Amino acid sequence: MLVVVSYDVSFEDKHGARRLRRIAKVCQDYGQRVQYSVFECIVDPAQWTILRKKLIEEANLECDSLRFYFLGKNWRNRIEHLGVKSVMDLEEGTLIV
């Protein structure tokens, strides 16, 4: 399933920049960045459970926010991209990191 993860991290305390980097790192482990604070992650239910848990652990939900959009298995018909930044199709071919 495709899950779109977006986040907003507060910089009102001294740990905001650190939380921002750590949240981005967790997202990069599961998907690709499509905007500064937006990732598309193709995960199965077990991976989703782990991803969600890690994000909640890194965020300070008193001042940060996490948003998850579930596009399911038929996500290709639900996304339209316009503009210059191209993204990789995570389900086609082999991805070597």
Side-chain angles (χ1 to χ4, degrees):
M1 73 178 157
L2 177 68
V3 179
V4 176
V5 177
S6 69
Y7 52 88
D8 188 24
V9 176
S10 173
F11 281 80
E12 291 184 9
D13 64 44
K14 63 181 181 178
H15 301 293
R18 179 175 179 241
R19 287 195 314 275
L20 180 70
R21 286 190 305 273
R22 293 176 73 127
I23 289 170
K25 175 65 174 116
V26 170
C27 290
Q28 286 173 341
D29 289 345
Y30 289 87
Q32 70 175 329
R33 185 187 300 259
V34 293
Q35 296 286 325
Y36 286 116
S37 296
V38 180
F39 283 79
E40 292 177 351
C41 304
I42 296 179
V43 292
D44 61 34
Q47 291 170 320
W48 165 240
T49 301
I50 295 167
L51 171 59
R52 183 178 183 277
K53 181 179 183 291
K54 287 181 178 181
L55 290 171
I56 291 170
E57 289 172 353
E58 295 297 344
N60 177 353
L61 299 180
E62 300 281 324
C63 57
D64 302 336
S65 68
L66 299 168
R67 294 181 66 91
F68 308 117
Y69 301 90
F70 303 95
L71 299 182
K73 292 180 183 177
N74 299 318
W75 58 270
R76 291 182 191 279
N77 298 330
R78 296 183 177 135
I79 297 174
E80 178 180 4
H81 175 259
L82 303 171
V84 296
K85 185 175 181 181
S86 63
V87 294
M88 295 177 9
D89 184 343
L90 296 175
E91 290 190 317
E92 287 193 20
T94 304
L95 178 64
I96 299 173
V97 180

